Amino acid sequence: DIQMTQSPSSLSASVGDRVTIACQASQIISTFVNWYQQKPGKAPKLLIHGASRLQSGVPPRFSGSGSGTDFTLTISGLQREDFATYFCQQSYNTLGTFGQGTKVEIK
Amino acid sequence: EVQLVESGGGLVQPGGSLRLSCEVSGFTFRSYWMHWVRQAPGKGLVWVSRINSDGSRTGYADSVKGRFTMSRDNAKNMVYLQMNSLRVEDTAIYYCVRDLERYIFDYWGQGTLITVSS
């Protein structure tokens, strides 16, 4: 099974900050990584797919990068509405494993 | 507007059964694979099951294989999850999810809570 490990598990940041979340796969998965945002009591929302492809309607301050085993989600200029939990997910195999999540909190 | 609306959640005793439904609208349902993804309270996301566009093939996580059955009715724009032999560890919010391509989950329902407890 492919394990997806996110770091950090939580972080505190201020509005306007640049935030980076890492996700490491337990094996090479090319660019089959997706990123989701989840706010409390809400369903997840797709932000990035194929490691770096911005989903339609998602603000360009969100970006993704990486290939192989190491991936990054970057939020450039954190906005108040970005405080949420972020999950990476591999779509390399049919188990679609998610990372454990990174909670972005207000400093 | 794409919409996915789950129903059928509730409290059930261990060993019991429950059937979840998901009504979809706003897109050509018969063209898309669909999935169920669950999230235990305060925990992460776990893929549960998927069904291909015509309903001929399904796949399941090992944790639910043999107990859960996913199906769809393309004439009614509905997806179902029949859950048997429920366990306490099946307690979670269950989300109905559309597959953009190859396990990329682009639209999610609001979720329905299943609580398995005596």
Side-chain angles (χ1 to χ4, degrees):
Chain A
D1 289 4
I2 300 172
Q3 309 301 318
M4 304 295 285
T5 303
Q6 287 182 235
S7 60
S9 55
S10 67
L11 64 91
S12 295
S14 301
V15 172
D17 284 354
R18 184 172 188 265
V19 168
T20 299
I21 299 168
C23 180
Q24 185 172 61
S26 60
Q27 67 179 69
I28 293 172
I29 57 171
S30 184
T31 57
F32 292 105
V33 163
N34 314 303
W35 290 93
Y36 302 84
Q37 175 194 67
Q38 187 178 32
K39 296 181 179 179
K42 300 294 186 183
K45 172 187 173 183
L46 178 65
L47 299 176
I48 301 280
H49 60 93
S52 60
R53 299 164 68 179
L54 195 67
Q55 175 67 353
S56 176
V58 174
R61 63 180 179 272
F62 291 93
S63 63
S65 64
S67 67
T69 60
D70 295 300
F71 304 88
T72 300
L73 174 70
T74 299
I75 311 172
S76 301
L78 195 67
Q79 299 298 302
R80 187 158 295 274
E81 60 266 29
D82 302 334
F83 291 96
T85 299
Y86 294 84
F87 294 92
C88 63
Q89 178 235 350
Q90 62 85 9
S91 49
Y92 182 81
N93 72 14
T94 58
L95 294 179
T97 323
F98 291 86
Q100 80 279 15
T102 296
K103 187 174 184 179
V104 177
E105 299 176 299
I106 300 173
K107 183 182 287 183
Chain B
E1 180 191 7
V2 172
Q3 287 194 317
L4 298 85
V5 180
E6 302 95 337
S7 60
L11 175 65
V12 61
Q13 291 189 336
S17 297
L18 215 54
R19 188 198 198 201
L20 304 184
S21 299
C22 173
E23 183 174 11
V24 312
S25 59
F27 64 99
T28 306
F29 176 61
R30 64 181 180 274
S31 297
Y32 288 86
W33 288 30
M34 298 294 294
H35 301 260
W36 290 95
V37 174
R38 70 184 182 186
Q39 186 172 34
K43 301 296 185 181
L45 299 161
V46 177
W47 173 80
V48 172
S49 64
R50 60 92 172 153
I51 190 165
N52 69 340
S53 54
D54 67 7
S56 61
R57 288 181 291 151
T58 53
Y60 301 92
D62 285 346
S63 59
V64 307
K65 202 172 293 183
R67 300 187 298 122
F68 289 12
T69 302
M70 187 173 182
S71 61
R72 67 191 292 162
D73 185 335
N74 284 350
K76 296 182 178 179
N77 280 13
M78 296 291 295
V79 179
Y80 306 99
L81 186 67
Q82 178 65 44
M83 309 164 68
N84 298 332
S85 303
L86 282 160
R87 305 168 180 168
V88 171
E89 55 266 34
D90 294 320
T91 295
I93 296 172
Y94 285 72
Y95 294 102
C96 174
V97 184
R98 191 181 84 164
D99 186 310
L100 173 64
E101 63 176 78
R102 194 181 171 140
Y103 282 61
I104 299 170
F105 306 138
D106 67 340
Y107 283 96
W108 299 61
Q110 83 287 353
T112 187
L113 176 62
I114 308 303
T115 302
V116 184
S117 174
S118 55

